[in-house]
Every structure is written in C-alpha cells, then in structure tokens.
Amino acid sequence: MTTSIPTSSNAAPIAGPFREEMILKQLKTVRDPEIPVDIVNLGLVYSATAAQLEGGGHRIDVRMSLTAPGCSMSDVIKAEVEQKLAALPEVREVRVEIVFDPPWNAGMMSEGAKLQLGFDSDYGTTSPGSPTNFGSPGSGSVSSGPFKVIR
C-alpha cells in the first residue's frame, strides 16, 4: 500500500536537497517505546530504499520487523517511521512493510545496543537450534547462550 503522508508537527522537515543517507539518520531517531534503543541499532530495519518518482520527488520503501509478532506498539512505531521519513525534503511517498521473515532475534542488534541493554556483545550469536558453545577445554570460561561463566 502506498501512502502519501503529510508532515506532522512532531516531525520537523529537514533542510537541503534529498540525500539517501538522510533515511538512515531519520530511522535512527525512531525508538521502540518499550526499549530505549533506536530501531536501526535494534536490527529491526532490514532494508530502506529510495526511488525517484516520475512526477518528481522520491518514494522511500522500508522493510522492517518488530521484536515480537504481537508487539502492541507496532502501529505506533510504523506511524513514526512514516512521519519521520515523510519529513525529508522531496519525499512524496513512504511505504513501510512490517515483516517477520526472517524473524528478528537479539543477534541482529548492534554491539552498542547489546551493551546499552546490558547484554554481552556476543549475545544472540548462537543461532536457535545450534549446539551451545561451552568454550575450549582449559579456557576457564563457559559460554551458554547470553551468559558467560568465568571460573
């Protein structure tokens, strides 16, 4: 579904000609209301592209996920993404598609997001269903999912 979105009062227009790096900058201002990290560093944005429209201006297409399929804030997050991107210069259309394939997992977060949320930087790097790495013999550490036991 293509939506032309008017700029709202809480999404101030950005000056200057449209540049693709503006997309990422705007997306980094959108936070999951339940988690104090932006959606880019959470790993929720799978793709964001800009296309030139025939009548002038740009359309931005975003494919993103949520931390859980039943996320109660999905409409709020999607609307904020649409509003922030619509505030970019020369943007005439914004399409945001919420997808769950691939399903989001904590391994998709940036290292900074993991540290900000109190996880080890390697949290989520073991894919679901794979054997747990218990460290090498004599290494003095045991790794089991998000936890590291140091002896």
Side-chain angles (χ1 to χ4, degrees), residues 3 8 15 23 27 31-32 36 43 45 47 66 74 77 83 85 92 103 105 109 123 127 134 138 140 145 148 150:
T3 311
S8 71
I23 298 171
L27 289 173
R31 296 191 183 286
D32 182 319
V45 178
S47 68
L66 300 168
S74 62
I77 294 169
Q83 290 173 347
L85 294 178
R92 304 289 177 257
N105 66 70
M109 290 190 288
Y123 178 80
S127 60
F134 287 104
K148 273 189 185 171
I150 301 175

Tab-separated table of all heavy atoms in Angstrom, residues 3 8 15 23 27 31-32 36 43 45 47 66 74 77 83 85 92 103 105 109 123 127 134 138 140 145 148 150:
chain	number	residue	atom	x	y	z
A	3	THR	N	1.293	5.236	0.542
A	3	THR	CA	0.625	6.280	1.284
A	3	THR	C	1.377	7.584	1.113
A	3	THR	O	2.586	7.615	1.282
A	3	THR	CB	0.588	5.925	2.790
A	3	THR	OG1	0.117	4.603	2.933
A	3	THR	CG2	-0.286	6.862	3.563
A	8	SER	N	3.885	15.923	9.895
A	8	SER	CA	3.195	16.296	11.129
A	8	SER	C	4.028	17.317	11.887
A	8	SER	O	5.193	17.525	11.601
A	8	SER	CB	2.970	15.056	11.994
A	8	SER	OG	4.192	14.608	12.519
A	15	ALA	N	16.233	20.494	6.132
A	15	ALA	CA	16.593	21.392	5.036
A	15	ALA	C	17.574	20.731	4.075
A	15	ALA	O	18.255	19.771	4.417
A	15	ALA	CB	17.198	22.671	5.609
A	23	ILE	N	17.937	8.990	5.117
A	23	ILE	CA	16.997	7.935	5.509
A	23	ILE	C	17.486	7.273	6.793
A	23	ILE	O	16.742	7.164	7.776
A	23	ILE	CB	16.824	6.892	4.380
A	23	ILE	CG1	16.232	7.551	3.138
A	23	ILE	CG2	15.954	5.728	4.853
A	23	ILE	CD1	16.240	6.644	1.906
A	27	LEU	N	15.803	7.254	10.507
A	27	LEU	CA	15.394	6.000	11.135
A	27	LEU	C	16.042	5.827	12.508
A	27	LEU	O	15.448	5.231	13.407
A	27	LEU	CB	15.722	4.810	10.230
A	27	LEU	CG	14.857	4.686	8.976
A	27	LEU	CD1	15.376	3.573	8.076
A	27	LEU	CD2	13.393	4.462	9.327
A	31	ARG	N	12.560	5.221	18.089
A	31	ARG	CA	12.874	4.264	19.152
A	31	ARG	C	11.658	3.384	19.415
A	31	ARG	O	10.535	3.827	19.305
A	31	ARG	CB	13.230	4.987	20.443
A	31	ARG	CG	14.478	5.823	20.316
A	31	ARG	CD	14.947	6.297	21.680
A	31	ARG	NE	16.094	7.165	21.606
A	31	ARG	CZ	17.326	6.779	21.333
A	31	ARG	NH1	17.580	5.538	21.086
A	31	ARG	NH2	18.325	7.648	21.301
A	32	ASP	N	11.942	2.153	19.773
A	32	ASP	CA	10.887	1.271	20.253
A	32	ASP	C	10.480	1.843	21.606
A	32	ASP	O	11.335	1.991	22.486
A	32	ASP	CB	11.434	-0.153	20.396
A	32	ASP	CG	10.380	-1.146	20.847
A	32	ASP	OD1	9.568	-0.799	21.745
A	32	ASP	OD2	10.375	-2.276	20.340
A	36	PRO	N	14.856	1.283	25.151
A	36	PRO	CA	15.500	2.585	24.932
A	36	PRO	C	16.614	2.574	23.873
A	36	PRO	O	17.688	3.111	24.087
A	36	PRO	CB	16.068	2.906	26.317
A	36	PRO	CG	16.405	1.565	26.889
A	36	PRO	CD	15.312	0.639	26.392
A	43	GLY	N	18.302	-3.592	15.082
A	43	GLY	CA	18.330	-4.538	13.968
A	43	GLY	C	16.963	-4.794	13.373
A	43	GLY	O	16.750	-5.787	12.672
A	45	VAL	N	15.387	-2.814	11.145
A	45	VAL	CA	15.285	-2.340	9.760
A	45	VAL	C	16.072	-3.287	8.866
A	45	VAL	O	17.289	-3.389	8.975
A	45	VAL	CB	15.796	-0.894	9.621
A	45	VAL	CG1	15.716	-0.441	8.170
A	45	VAL	CG2	15.001	0.044	10.521
A	47	SER	N	15.670	-3.299	5.302
A	47	SER	CA	16.075	-2.552	4.112
A	47	SER	C	15.334	-1.218	4.072
A	47	SER	O	14.229	-1.093	4.593
A	47	SER	CB	15.797	-3.344	2.828
A	47	SER	OG	14.408	-3.471	2.618
A	66	LEU	N	9.637	-6.341	13.911
A	66	LEU	CA	9.416	-5.920	15.286
A	66	LEU	C	10.068	-6.963	16.184
A	66	LEU	O	10.361	-8.070	15.738
A	66	LEU	CB	7.912	-5.817	15.574
A	66	LEU	CG	7.158	-4.829	14.685
A	66	LEU	CD1	5.655	-5.017	14.836
A	66	LEU	CD2	7.545	-3.402	15.021
A	74	SER	N	3.264	-1.802	17.493
A	74	SER	CA	3.572	-1.884	16.060
A	74	SER	C	3.013	-0.702	15.262
A	74	SER	O	3.721	-0.139	14.433
A	74	SER	CB	3.079	-3.202	15.476
A	74	SER	OG	1.677	-3.303	15.596
A	77	ILE	N	5.079	2.503	16.111
A	77	ILE	CA	6.414	2.503	15.504
A	77	ILE	C	6.306	2.741	14.002
A	77	ILE	O	7.026	3.569	13.438
A	77	ILE	CB	7.148	1.178	15.810
A	77	ILE	CG1	7.418	1.069	17.312
A	77	ILE	CG2	8.448	1.090	15.019
A	77	ILE	CD1	7.895	-0.298	17.761
A	83	GLN	N	6.128	9.098	9.436
A	83	GLN	CA	6.164	10.542	9.668
A	83	GLN	C	7.574	11.107	9.555
A	83	GLN	O	7.784	12.147	8.933
A	83	GLN	CB	5.577	10.882	11.040
A	83	GLN	CG	4.085	10.662	11.109
A	83	GLN	CD	3.538	10.826	12.517
A	83	GLN	OE1	4.281	10.881	13.486
A	83	GLN	NE2	2.216	10.884	12.620
A	85	LEU	N	10.173	9.873	7.928
A	85	LEU	CA	10.681	9.809	6.555
A	85	LEU	C	9.934	10.785	5.640
A	85	LEU	O	10.529	11.355	4.732
A	85	LEU	CB	10.605	8.388	6.017
A	85	LEU	CG	11.521	7.383	6.731
A	85	LEU	CD1	11.329	5.996	6.151
A	85	LEU	CD2	12.982	7.819	6.653
A	92	ARG	N	7.770	12.207	-1.393
A	92	ARG	CA	6.340	12.309	-1.693
A	92	ARG	C	5.561	11.086	-1.199
A	92	ARG	O	4.375	11.182	-0.947
A	92	ARG	CB	6.111	12.452	-3.205
A	92	ARG	CG	6.849	13.612	-3.855
A	92	ARG	CD	6.254	14.956	-3.452
A	92	ARG	NE	7.034	16.049	-4.031
A	92	ARG	CZ	7.909	16.795	-3.370
A	92	ARG	NH1	8.116	16.597	-2.104
A	92	ARG	NH2	8.569	17.749	-3.966
A	103	PRO	N	12.656	-13.900	11.084
A	103	PRO	CA	12.226	-13.398	12.388
A	103	PRO	C	13.366	-12.667	13.084
A	103	PRO	O	14.521	-13.073	12.990
A	103	PRO	CB	11.821	-14.655	13.155
A	103	PRO	CG	12.419	-15.794	12.418
A	103	PRO	CD	12.680	-15.346	11.007
A	105	ASN	N	15.860	-11.515	15.924
A	105	ASN	CA	16.438	-12.129	17.118
A	105	ASN	C	17.491	-11.178	17.669
A	105	ASN	O	17.953	-10.270	16.972
A	105	ASN	CB	16.997	-13.527	16.831
A	105	ASN	CG	18.177	-13.485	15.886
A	105	ASN	OD1	19.255	-13.019	16.236
A	105	ASN	ND2	17.980	-13.969	14.662
A	109	MET	N	20.966	-7.182	16.819
A	109	MET	CA	21.260	-5.886	17.426
A	109	MET	C	22.728	-5.519	17.206
A	109	MET	O	23.588	-6.393	17.123
A	109	MET	CB	21.007	-5.923	18.942
A	109	MET	CG	19.560	-6.014	19.329
A	109	MET	SD	19.306	-5.760	21.114
A	109	MET	CE	19.949	-7.280	21.787
A	123	TYR	N	25.989	-11.820	22.702
A	123	TYR	CA	24.636	-12.304	22.966
A	123	TYR	C	23.880	-12.480	21.652
A	123	TYR	O	23.896	-11.621	20.788
A	123	TYR	CB	23.868	-11.307	23.848
A	123	TYR	CG	22.441	-11.724	24.114
A	123	TYR	CD1	22.157	-12.672	25.089
A	123	TYR	CD2	21.387	-11.179	23.393
A	123	TYR	CE1	20.861	-13.071	25.344
A	123	TYR	CE2	20.087	-11.576	23.637
A	123	TYR	CZ	19.827	-12.518	24.610
A	123	TYR	OH	18.536	-12.908	24.849
A	127	SER	N	22.849	-19.340	16.862
A	127	SER	CA	21.538	-19.407	16.240
A	127	SER	C	20.670	-20.431	16.954
A	127	SER	O	21.169	-21.419	17.478
A	127	SER	CB	21.665	-19.756	14.756
A	127	SER	OG	22.286	-21.005	14.614
A	134	PHE	N	30.500	-24.427	24.705
A	134	PHE	CA	30.915	-24.437	26.092
A	134	PHE	C	32.376	-24.082	26.262
A	134	PHE	O	32.985	-24.384	27.257
A	134	PHE	CB	30.614	-25.807	26.725
A	134	PHE	CG	29.159	-26.012	26.966
A	134	PHE	CD1	28.412	-26.831	26.140
A	134	PHE	CD2	28.512	-25.356	28.002
A	134	PHE	CE1	27.065	-27.003	26.356
A	134	PHE	CE2	27.163	-25.532	28.220
A	134	PHE	CZ	26.431	-26.355	27.402
A	138	GLY	N	39.993	-26.109	29.293
A	138	GLY	CA	41.044	-25.353	29.968
A	138	GLY	C	40.988	-23.862	29.744
A	138	GLY	O	41.843	-23.124	30.198
A	140	GLY	N	38.817	-21.806	30.912
A	140	GLY	CA	38.374	-21.100	32.106
A	140	GLY	C	37.054	-20.397	31.937
A	140	GLY	O	36.559	-19.752	32.834
A	145	GLY	N	24.569	-19.549	25.699
A	145	GLY	CA	23.628	-18.517	25.285
A	145	GLY	C	24.155	-17.142	25.669
A	145	GLY	O	25.313	-16.838	25.432
A	148	LYS	N	27.989	-15.881	30.272
A	148	LYS	CA	29.360	-16.379	30.319
A	148	LYS	C	29.699	-16.645	31.765
A	148	LYS	O	29.518	-15.771	32.610
A	148	LYS	CB	30.340	-15.346	29.768
A	148	LYS	CG	30.534	-15.409	28.306
A	148	LYS	CD	31.676	-14.506	27.922
A	148	LYS	CE	31.782	-14.493	26.410
A	148	LYS	NZ	32.702	-13.505	25.940
A	150	ILE	N	32.686	-17.385	34.180
A	150	ILE	CA	34.144	-17.330	34.245
A	150	ILE	C	34.577	-17.976	35.547
A	150	ILE	O	34.081	-17.630	36.613
A	150	ILE	CB	34.649	-15.887	34.142
A	150	ILE	CG1	34.182	-15.288	32.828
A	150	ILE	CG2	36.157	-15.819	34.292
A	150	ILE	CD1	34.495	-13.846	32.647
